Amino acid sequence: MPSGNIQDCDINESDIKTKITQKGLDNSSAKLIKKDTALLAMTGATCGKSGYLKCVSSANQSVMAFETDELNSKFLYYTFQRNKNLIL
């Protein structure tokens, strides 16, 4: 998934237009991101925008995924939205 998918909203499988094949995943540094993960765009026009992943996916290097068992991921997603100016 490119960072352009991150638009301060939930991200469902139907929102992701580009996909990676299993072969591509196996032969790259990409990792799968688990469902219910908070995301943050780090570059380009969407820099500082956040997303909440509602499906398993992978992402390019412009996306930071925050997989955590210690914090509620939805809370983290809302924290990113509330503090966008500070993050930027």
Side-chain angles (χ1 to χ4, degrees):
M1 158 186 27
S3 61
N5 282 95
I6 301 177
Q7 297 290 332
D8 292 332
C9 61
D10 287 353
I11 302 167
N12 297 295
E13 189 169 0
S14 61
D15 300 323
I16 303 169
K17 304 301 180 206
T18 58
K19 309 282 184 184
I20 189 170
T21 64
Q22 186 61 49
K23 184 177 180 181
L25 189 61
D26 293 342
N27 293 302
S28 72
S29 60
K31 304 284 186 247
L32 287 179
I33 304 168
K34 67 183 180 179
K35 178 182 174 186
D36 298 324
T37 296
L39 305 173
L40 189 62
M42 300 185 306
T43 62
T46 57
C47 184
K49 290 191 177 188
S50 57
Y52 188 75
L53 189 61
K54 300 295 290 178
C55 61
V56 174
S57 184
S58 63
N60 68 21
Q61 64 274 17
S62 295
V63 176
M64 186 175 289
F66 292 83
E67 294 183 3
T68 177
D69 293 326
E70 296 179 27
L71 292 172
N72 179 294
S73 292
K74 196 68 166 187
F75 174 79
L76 189 56
Y77 162 68
Y78 288 126
T79 300
F80 290 155
Q81 286 191 336
R82 176 83 172 136
N83 294 287
K84 183 177 180 178
N85 290 334
L86 182 62
I87 291 168
L88 288 171

